[in-house]
């Protein structure tokens, strides 16, 4: 059996749910306290034993490449000032086995994945979405690799979502659970209306796939939203070889969504050694003020928008 060595991180989407912040900045670079989201994903890949990572980028995504490049001037400056701890932080994102490919037009997740065909070759590989942070004792990508080693087949991570949210996800039609949170799947359906959703098990941002997916993607017609949908390709793959769904029981943080981003920031802030105590105190105080109706009005003075300045 071939070892799973390669991961691809699609990061070429427009990030419209996070406008205007993503007008000129990649959403994958939005920081959680002090670390860009995509760095969490790269760290999960490395912790799972992945050796080579291809990031799919597009227009306005250069900051992602720069983040993982060296910055000799900054490094020299920190060295001269004796800031060894900061230097270490800056240097830990360089020298990794990272590669980049461009998706000329964001025609959908399936199309982004297709750009990795030559990089992947004839091996099983992992897809990790650039805006989904997963937290668990064993990294989710490692859980999928472990499951692949038992099943010798593609494994897609899924998670229960509220029924009314099924239209935001790929949803599976599961057969009976085969044990260990593993499901055989009858069908993979992209963004079904809640009335038509075959279950509440949604495809989340981690996939382990066999390379046969590329032949399917090459001939796939656009699906929901006029985009080349990875879910449609997986459904076709499942007709010729088994594709399992593996239920994730850890925490998922959707950083591409505004509320998801806020929750993630608070959760990680409460663990961050430099800010956790202050943040905890602040939240407790805020909760008391919210409860008593005494809400802080300081921000209101600055909250006029740019439209007003134009008048
Ligand atoms: P999303 O649908 O969450 O990303 O795709 P998006 O389109 O950028 O975001 P919204 O919905 O407009 O806010 C999941 C992942 O797939 C990548 C995105 O960058 C994101 O990390 N993607 C999506 C591509 O790389 N190319 C595409 O054509 C579409």
């Amino acid at each position: 059996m071939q070892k799973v060595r390669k991961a691809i991180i699609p990061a070429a989407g427009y990030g419209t749910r996070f406008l205007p912040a993503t007008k000129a900045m990649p959403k994958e670079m939005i920081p959680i306290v002090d670390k860009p989201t995509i760095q969490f994903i790269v760290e999960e890949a490395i912790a799972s034993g992945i050796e080579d990572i291809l990031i799919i980028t597009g227009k306005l995504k250069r900051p992602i490449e720069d983040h993982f490049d060296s910055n000799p001037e900054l490094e020299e400056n920190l060295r001269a000032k004796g800031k060894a701890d900061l230097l270490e932080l800056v240097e830990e994102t360089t020298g990794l086995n990272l590669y980049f490919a461009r998706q000329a037009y964001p025609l959908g997740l399936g199309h982004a994945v297709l750009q990795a065909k030559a990089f992947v070759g004839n091996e099983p590989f992992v897809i990790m979405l650039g805006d989904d942070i997963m937290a668990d004792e064993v990294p989710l990508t490692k859980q999928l690799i472990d499951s692949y080693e038992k099943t010798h087949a593609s494994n897609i991570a899924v998670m229960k979502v509220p029924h009314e949210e099924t239209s935001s996800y790929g949803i599976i039609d599961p057969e009976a659970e085969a044990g260990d949170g593993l499901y055989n799947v009858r069908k993979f359906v992209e963004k079904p209306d809640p009335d038509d959703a075959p279950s509440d098990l949604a495809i989340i941002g981690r996939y382990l796939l066999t390379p046969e997916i590329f032949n399917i993607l090459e001939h796939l017609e656009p699906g929901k939203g006029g985009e080349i949908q990875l879910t449609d390709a997986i459904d076709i793959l499942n007709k010729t070889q088994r594709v399992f769904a593996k239920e994730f029981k850890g925490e998922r943080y959707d950083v591409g969504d505004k509320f998801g981003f806020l929750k993630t920031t608070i959760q990680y802030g409460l663990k961050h050694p430099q800010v956790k105590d202050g943040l905890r105190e602040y939240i407790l105080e805020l909760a008391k003020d919210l409860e008593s109706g005494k809400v802080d009005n300081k921000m209101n003075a600055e909250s006029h928008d740019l439209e007003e300045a134009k008048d």
Side-chain angles (χ1 to χ4, degrees):
M1 193 185 49
Q2 277 177 302
K3 193 168 175 266
V4 182
R5 303 183 305 121
K6 295 179 180 173
I8 67 177
I9 305 180
Y14 284 130
T16 53
R17 283 171 296 156
F18 226 115
L19 283 168
T22 45
K23 187 178 169 195
M25 179 183 71
K27 72 170 166 185
E28 297 79 8
M29 286 301 293
I30 291 175
I32 303 302
V33 187
D34 52 8
K35 192 190 285 187
T37 303
I38 197 159
Q39 190 177 329
F40 285 90
I41 321 284
V42 168
E43 286 174 357
E44 180 190 327
I46 292 167
S48 302
I50 294 294
E51 294 164 17
D52 293 322
I53 301 168
L54 177 75
I55 301 181
I56 312 287
T57 66
K59 269 174 205 56
L60 305 170
K61 300 282 182 165
R62 279 302 295 269
I64 298 179
E65 295 180 40
D66 290 341
H67 180 69
F68 292 104
D69 197 358
S70 62
N71 184 339
E73 272 174 41
L74 174 63
E75 288 160 28
E76 196 36 55
N77 184 288
L78 294 173
R79 205 170 284 119
K81 289 182 175 152
K83 297 189 170 169
D85 45 347
L86 292 180
L87 183 62
E88 199 181 311
L89 283 182
V90 166
E91 285 182 336
E92 73 183 13
T93 52
T94 60
L96 306 169
N97 287 346
L98 287 184
Y99 306 86
F100 295 90
R102 306 268 292 196
Q103 184 190 16
Y105 300 96
L107 300 178
L109 180 56
H111 182 259
V113 171
L114 189 53
Q115 313 311 307
K117 185 175 190 264
F119 168 81
V120 169
N122 201 24
E123 301 181 24
F125 68 104
V126 168
I127 302 168
M128 309 172 76
L129 296 193
D131 56 354
D132 260 345
I133 295 179
M134 311 291 182
D136 205 353
E137 269 168 40
V138 176
L140 177 53
T141 296
K142 176 78 170 65
Q143 293 180 31
L144 293 182
I145 293 173
D146 291 344
S147 189
Y148 168 78
E149 287 174 355
K150 286 187 202 134
T151 57
H152 298 200
S154 296
N155 275 260
I156 314 293
V158 296
M159 195 168 193
K160 283 215 166 72
V161 296
H163 190 68
E164 63 279 11
E165 289 178 18
T166 52
S167 56
S168 303
Y169 295 91
I171 299 291
I172 65 162
D173 181 2
E175 291 178 12
E177 194 191 338
D180 225 6
L182 203 64
Y183 293 89
N184 285 310
V185 180
R186 274 185 221 100
K187 209 164 168 38
F188 295 83
V189 192
E190 181 64 13
K191 300 193 171 82
D193 285 336
D195 287 347
D196 305 325
S199 77
D200 295 341
L201 286 169
I203 300 174
I204 49 174
R206 302 291 182 271
Y207 310 70
L208 192 157
L209 288 166
T210 55
E212 284 76 24
I213 197 76
F214 291 111
N215 301 335
I216 298 169
L217 284 171
E218 266 174 338
H219 300 106
L220 195 65
E221 296 291 324
K224 260 255 156 82
E227 295 191 351
I228 307 285
Q229 297 289 359
L230 182 61
T231 308
D232 296 345
I234 293 170
D235 190 53
I236 296 172
L237 183 68
N238 190 38
K239 292 185 167 63
T240 55
Q241 54 176 257
R242 213 174 264 294
V243 179
F244 289 99
K246 171 100 181 123
E247 190 173 355
F248 179 53
K249 301 273 175 61
E251 290 294 328
R252 166 178 178 255
Y253 299 104
D254 179 4
V255 181
D257 168 79
K258 285 170 201 171
F259 188 46
F261 160 75
L262 286 173
K263 286 195 279 189
T264 317
T265 301
I266 292 169
Q267 289 290 344
Y268 277 84
L270 288 169
K271 288 186 209 130
H272 192 289
Q274 282 166 343
V275 299
K276 63 179 184 187
D277 295 339
L279 181 62
R280 189 170 182 281
E281 238 169 74
Y282 176 70
I283 290 174
L284 290 173
E285 225 152 84
L286 189 64
K288 265 193 248 150
D289 287 354
L290 286 169
E291 195 94 312
S292 67
K294 183 184 133 212
V295 193
D296 193 347
N297 270 330
K298 271 182 275 178
M299 294 288 284
N300 287 349
E302 290 131 39
S303 69
H304 308 296
D305 67 25
L306 287 175
E307 271 311 308
E308 287 175 36
K310 284 191 213 159
D311 295 337

